[in-house]
Amino acid sequence: RCYFYSCNRRAATYCNVVALTLAESCNFWAEQAEAYSQSIVTAGLANLEQVARDYFQAGQQLAKDKLDLSSSLCQMAGVFHLGQASWKESERNLKKAIDGSQKTGDRRKYEEASVFLSFNHFLRGQYRKSLSVSGTALESARLRGDFQCQILALNCQVCCHLTLGNVQKAATKLDQIRVAINRNQAERGIDLGGSRSSDDKREPAQRHSQNTDDVASAMNFLGLKAMLSLLKSDLKDAFHMALEADVLLEDKTREPTAFFTFPAYMAIPEVYLRLLLRPKFWDPLGTSKKKLLKKFKASMQPLQLFAKTFKFAWPRIHLLEGLAVLAEGAPLQDAVGHWEMGLKSAQHLEMAAELATLERHLAQAVTKETASILLTSSLLVLHADTNSPQHSQHSSRRPVKDRRAGKNKDKDAESSVANV
């Protein structure tokens, strides 16, 4: 588990293989079942879908009538299916894990499974459910003093509030993440005071992001902070947060290991793209169009690597690529090609919020509103796009004929959720 949070895929896989081999050779059935549950996730990271299913079946045989082991298997199966964008299968397994952990009194497992379920809801545009489930997990983790589970739950809540445009609520939750990261690191014996110079104004979570064993939380904090700064029009802070996150994301020794790091992988390319659209800020930030384009393209590489394992990232990749070619001055039709691919991907993956955003961009493309697309495009703040009258009109004009995936958009994506 430590290697999952430090984004060290090879070490995590090695540990699982060794643990499973030892458990099998010693005939320790309980440890064997636990090793199978962890191996489900590592098999998923290697895109070995059938192997992951085989591990689940083998683990179930060992975990018969053992509710705690069965819950662990269901939790990891839920995580695996979430990465595959098999939303209903993921939800079914995670709910079993939640139910089992409640019966056995395993609060940590209950909190983890609940947070993973809340991310499932978030990625499907079900923001009301996501905030409710993650809120329950957060309160439980606070009662136990578990900072890691608090960070996970708060990450999901910040994603929801940023997506809905609730800037103040997002800022409050993000500050709670900062405090939890600092306390979590202190608990692990990492000195957060360090040798900070008097002119170093960075947050502790930022200054120590390279020294932490919880790289996942550090990346997410920086990515979400960058997005919050964008929404607050603090472009300088957004830029510097993105640069700091780049140090972690571009480290070749780290690979995507957890689906819940998507805020970091998706946020950083958007920051650079937004700055590309604000030429008057280039000089004060000490950058240029050429440098920002280079940064954007470099930041897309980790996101593409992330999408090879976690399929739900593809609609966002196509959306970003379409906006980037427009920012470079390419013809509008080039962007439309990217967005149509993204639309088909969002339909296939049943991602209502991503689908709505891509539909709006394609609708603007029909009217050749290139400047409008670039100036008003909102990749993260989606609540105004999902159920508005304009959205319905746009849907009728988009160039892709297949609308089946867009018919049943979840009511939880309504903007009334902003009051949660």
Side-chain angles (χ1 to χ4, degrees):
R1 283 180 177 247
C2 291
Y3 286 125
F4 277 119
Y5 284 103
S6 64
C7 299
N8 192 332
R9 182 184 296 187
R10 293 182 182 181
T13 302
Y14 173 77
C15 287
N16 275 350
V17 170
V18 170
L20 185 56
T21 302
L22 288 173
E24 287 177 335
S25 63
C26 298
N27 201 28
F28 293 159
W29 62 267
E31 287 78 4
Q32 200 173 331
E34 189 67 32
Y36 275 131
S37 70
Q38 295 293 331
S39 296
I40 292 170
V41 177
T42 50
L45 294 176
N47 291 311
L48 300 173
E49 183 174 347
Q50 188 55 52
V51 174
R53 293 180 184 276
D54 290 342
Y55 281 144
F56 180 66
Q57 294 298 327
Q60 278 191 317
Q61 293 298 317
L62 292 169
K64 278 185 177 179
D65 303 321
K66 301 293 186 296
L67 195 54
D68 57 337
L69 296 176
S70 178
S71 297
S72 293
L73 282 163
C74 286
Q75 177 176 316
M76 293 300 104
V79 170
F80 164 72
H81 287 297
L82 198 158
Q84 299 293 311
S86 300
W87 309 117
K88 292 180 181 179
E89 189 72 7
S90 172
E91 182 175 1
R92 184 176 66 83
N93 278 284
L94 290 171
K95 283 183 175 179
K96 282 186 177 181
I98 291 169
D99 182 60
S101 60
Q102 283 181 310
K103 290 176 180 177
T104 60
D106 189 333
R107 300 306 297 174
R108 181 179 176 87
K109 192 175 296 177
Y110 165 78
E111 292 153 15
E112 287 181 337
S114 296
V115 171
F116 297 153
L117 179 59
S118 69
F119 275 114
N120 181 312
H121 291 317
F122 170 80
L123 290 166
R124 296 159 72 184
Q126 300 169 351
Y127 306 124
R128 191 197 314 273
K129 289 181 181 178
S130 182
L131 285 166
S132 175
V133 176
S134 59
T136 302
L138 177 60
E139 288 307 310
S140 176
R142 281 175 172 162
L143 288 173
R144 291 193 309 108
D146 188 320
F147 296 117
Q148 187 64 66
C149 284
Q150 289 179 50
I151 293 167
L152 284 173
L154 286 165
N155 276 332
C156 188
Q157 296 215 318
V158 172
C159 287
C160 286
H161 286 307
L162 283 176
T163 302
L164 296 166
N166 300 334
V167 176
Q168 188 53 53
K169 289 182 180 180
T172 299
K173 299 291 184 181
L174 197 57
D175 195 52
Q176 292 172 17
I177 291 177
R178 177 185 60 78
V179 172
I181 287 177
N182 293 340
R183 290 182 177 176
N184 191 39
Q185 295 299 82
E187 247 187 19
R188 293 166 182 260
I190 298 176
D191 179 15
L192 291 176
S195 56
R196 180 179 183 180
S197 63
S198 58
D199 59 345
D200 189 350
K201 304 300 183 183
R202 295 179 298 168
E203 298 284 2
Q206 181 184 7
R207 287 186 286 113
H208 294 271
S209 59
Q210 297 177 57
N211 302 321
T212 178
D213 58 348
D214 186 2
V215 177
S217 294
M219 290 194 309
N220 275 345
F221 175 84
L222 295 169
L224 292 170
K225 185 72 162 62
M227 289 308 306
L228 177 64
S229 296
L230 274 184
L231 290 178
K232 295 168 68 176
S233 298
D234 187 349
L235 301 187
K236 182 178 179 181
D237 188 63
F239 183 52
H240 289 301
M241 286 289 170
L243 292 176
E244 186 76 11
D246 268 345
V247 176
L248 299 176
L249 292 171
E250 294 177 0
D251 187 338
K252 301 301 182 184
T253 66
R254 299 187 175 104
E255 297 177 273
T257 55
F259 74 87
F260 53 77
T261 55
F262 71 87
Y265 285 95
M266 291 184 182
I268 304 310
E270 181 174 352
V271 171
Y272 294 132
L273 186 58
R274 289 264 170 252
L275 293 173
L276 270 169
L277 310 180
R278 308 291 287 273
K280 69 178 183 179
F281 289 95
W282 295 348
D283 283 341
L285 293 177
T287 189
S288 64
K289 180 177 181 179
K290 183 178 179 180
K291 289 179 179 178
L292 286 170
L293 279 171
K294 185 177 179 180
K295 279 288 186 185
F296 170 79
K297 291 175 180 179
S299 67
M300 286 295 285
Q301 292 176 10
L303 177 54
Q304 288 164 345
L305 181 63
F306 180 89
K308 287 181 179 179
T309 301
F310 305 111
K311 299 176 182 178
F312 60 79
W314 282 112
R316 183 60 59 92
I317 287 176
H318 294 307
L319 181 58
L320 286 164
E321 287 176 337
L323 287 166
V325 297
L326 279 186
E328 287 186 86
L332 183 58
Q333 194 56 38
D334 290 357
V336 168
H338 288 290
W339 295 337
E340 287 181 339
M341 286 191 290
L343 191 74
K344 290 177 181 177
S345 179
Q347 288 173 332
H348 175 70
L349 297 173
E350 298 181 354
M351 298 181 71
E354 297 287 333
L355 179 64
T357 306
L358 283 153
E359 285 179 330
R360 180 168 64 82
H361 283 70
L362 284 166
Q364 287 180 303
V366 170
T367 59
K368 296 183 170 27
E369 298 173 8
T370 306
S372 175
I373 292 172
L374 287 174
L375 293 175
T376 65
S377 169
S378 181
L379 309 189
L380 193 61
V381 183
L382 306 174
H383 70 292
D385 303 332
T386 310
N387 289 321
S388 65
Q390 291 87 349
H391 167 62
S392 299
Q393 295 170 10
H394 293 165
S395 298
S396 66
R397 293 185 296 177
R398 59 182 170 83
V400 177
K401 295 181 180 179
D402 186 358
R403 301 181 190 176
R404 287 173 294 176
K407 286 184 178 179
N408 297 314
K409 293 180 177 61
D410 199 287
K411 293 181 180 179
D412 290 300
E414 296 175 357
S415 59
S416 61
V417 130
N419 294 320
V420 174

